[in-house]
Amino acid sequence: MRPTPELAALLRRTADRIQSQHWGFWDWEYCWRDSTRCNCGLLVREALGWDRQQLSLRIHRGTWRSIAQTAYRTVALALRDPWQPEGRCESTGLRLGYVFEKMAELGFDQPEDFAALEELSHPVILARLAEKGVEPVQRDQAIHVALYMRELADWIDEQLQAQAQISRLSQPLPKATGIPVHQSVRLRSC
């Protein structure tokens, strides 16, 4: 996962929507077993502005990790061999990697990112939640998913702040401005 402000904001918006259980006509509530209303499905839908039906037409069945692995493998193969036809969804004709290209732009760029969100299994986020008294975290409980997403967003913000601070500290010192520097005076010892 590549920390980005857009990803942190997306996680917070998705958490808010999960907690409010308001996703529109097609879905009435969060459902971990439905790939369009689960942890990753809702994040992707929020990112792309799609409803359940639009997402179900563009992804293949399976776990989000397996879907992501297939998509990334297909994209990598096409990049290595330009003569290789790019994988496309049989029903929609869209590139298999379309959803994952969009998510990678936001910073969710590895199959493991999807697996960790789907299973609520990132060790750092789990430890932070445990420190706050949220334990055990259950992957199929909407409130736990919302708390996990908010904690992940906070962690991303902290990573971005640390990167900015390191960037500021690693900047070269400003060049001399032409102000004369007084030479130090050496005292003779007796």
Side-chain angles (χ1 to χ4, degrees), residues 3-183:
T4 66
E6 296 82 11
L7 182 55
L10 172 64
L11 286 161
R12 286 190 181 95
R13 283 194 321 270
T14 307
D16 290 345
R17 293 196 67 180
I18 289 171
Q19 204 163 356
S20 72
Q21 296 286 318
H22 178 70
W23 282 86
F25 177 76
W26 289 105
D27 25 353
W28 297 1
E29 61 187 84
Y30 167 84
C31 180
W32 189 80
R33 288 176 182 79
D34 179 340
S35 61
T36 64
R37 295 188 297 159
C38 63
N39 310 352
C40 291
L42 294 176
L43 184 74
V44 168
R45 285 177 46 199
E46 182 68 20
L48 302 176
W50 289 350
D51 64 22
R52 227 176 110 195
Q53 191 174 30
Q54 289 170 305
L55 183 58
S56 70
L57 290 173
R58 290 170 174 84
I59 62 168
H60 294 279
R61 296 291 175 234
T63 66
W64 274 93
R65 170 185 254 166
S66 67
I67 296 166
Q69 286 172 334
T70 300
Y72 288 131
R73 195 173 27 250
T74 302
V75 169
L77 183 61
L79 290 174
R80 281 193 308 253
D81 182 2
W83 296 106
Q84 176 74 24
E86 187 174 5
R88 295 194 176 270
C89 173
E90 292 175 10
S91 58
T92 65
L94 287 174
R95 295 184 319 276
L96 286 177
Y98 176 78
V99 167
F100 301 98
E101 287 172 11
K102 296 300 179 189
M103 293 306 293
E105 289 172 11
L106 294 169
F108 231 58
D109 57 0
Q110 299 295 317
E112 293 76 25
D113 299 338
F114 291 93
L117 180 61
E118 198 59 29
E119 298 295 327
L120 303 184
S121 62
H122 193 290
V124 172
I125 305 307
L126 291 175
R128 290 170 62 117
L129 287 170
E131 287 175 7
K132 295 177 178 181
V134 181
E135 188 176 41
V137 176
Q138 296 178 354
R139 68 181 183 198
D140 61 349
Q141 298 296 313
I143 192 64
H144 287 184
V145 176
L147 290 169
Y148 184 95
M149 285 184 177
R150 284 193 183 96
E151 195 63 39
L152 181 55
D154 291 346
W155 182 71
I156 288 170
D157 284 342
E158 291 169 13
Q159 299 298 310
L160 291 169
Q161 289 171 358
Q163 288 173 359
Q165 192 171 22
I166 289 170
S167 178
R168 282 192 302 272
L169 291 173
S170 63
Q171 293 295 319
L173 294 174
K175 293 186 179 185
T177 60
I179 299 173
V181 178
H182 298 287
Q183 293 181 343

